[in-house]
Amino acid sequence: MENKIIETNNANETFLLGKMIGEGAKSGDVIALTGDLGCGKTVLTQGIAAGLGINEVVNSPTFVILQEYESGRLPFYHFDVYRISDVREMDETGYHEYVYGDGVALIEWANLIEEILPAEYMQIEIKKDLDKGFDYRRIKIKNAGTI
Ligand code: ADP
Ligand code: MG
């Protein structure tokens, strides 16, 4: 399935969606997450990590741009680029090696580094719609290939 829209009504549903994505993820996959603060990017990421078989605690790397997990089925590189003010700062993180590497790379706030995203990636956009409830999320997936 190429593009998909999934609606969730609580954090666990978003986590489970992530888990399904993580279970289907392949070596070299790149996942670009966009959406406002508090919309559930990290919740989805935690599900993806669980789906990869990672049993460590996965949080938003607030003060580090990259958190690396090696305990799952594939290496998992979790970027949160919220604090990036210039894409050139990404060079220091080893971003290019990770994104073109053998693991699964996920980028929260990927819209901030759009010009250095690879040619192919799964794009996931999360939006709230307060008319539908505080915990409602509309999750749009492009290039859903693996799920
Ligand atoms: P982000 O990483 O996008 O800033 P977080 O994942 O850290 O956001 O936080 C999302 C917050 O929203 C969590 O407190 C979570 O419990 C809550 N939440 C409520 N409903 C949902 C939902 N449907 N999907 C994901 N998170 C939800
Ligand atoms: Mg986050």
Side-chain angles (χ1 to χ4, degrees):
M1 220 167 297
E2 271 302 281
N3 298 339
K4 258 186 165 193
I5 291 175
I6 290 139
E7 296 173 299
T8 67
N9 290 292
N10 58 58
N12 193 49
E13 287 179 11
T14 300
F15 179 91
L16 290 176
L17 170 66
K19 196 167 173 214
M20 206 167 78
I21 295 169
E23 283 165 355
K26 301 181 307 303
S27 171
D29 279 353
V30 176
I31 302 167
L33 292 189
T34 61
D36 292 341
L37 199 66
C39 72
K41 297 182 295 300
T42 298
V43 169
L44 188 76
T45 302
Q46 288 163 340
I48 292 171
L52 283 166
I54 294 159
N55 33 42
E56 295 157 73
V57 176
V58 174
N59 281 314
S60 251
T62 314
F63 297 108
V64 282
I65 290 166
L66 168 67
Q67 210 79 260
E68 207 176 325
Y69 301 92
E70 300 283 353
S71 65
R73 180 170 62 80
L74 293 166
F76 183 50
Y77 312 119
H78 177 199
F79 289 88
D80 185 321
V81 303
Y82 184 59
R83 281 161 212 282
I84 284 288
S85 49
D86 188 303
V87 291
R88 281 172 297 188
E89 289 172 37
M90 292 302 286
D91 294 345
E92 297 162 27
T93 68
Y95 168 79
H96 299 277
E97 290 89 286
Y98 289 115
V99 158
Y100 295 102
D102 292 333
V104 174
L106 177 147
I107 307 138
E108 290 194 45
W109 296 100
N111 52 302
L112 299 178
I113 60 159
E114 204 167 1
E115 57 263 60
I116 58 167
L117 291 177
E120 275 185 30
Y121 55 89
M122 181 190 285
Q123 188 190 322
I124 306 181
E125 185 189 340
I126 310 178
K127 278 191 175 155
K128 293 186 186 182
D129 182 346
L130 291 176
D131 290 341
K132 297 193 174 172
F134 189 67
D135 290 346
Y136 170 88
R137 303 290 189 272
R138 185 173 183 272
I139 303 172
K140 193 159 127 192
I141 307 180
K142 284 188 196 158
N143 296 327
T146 55
I147 64 164

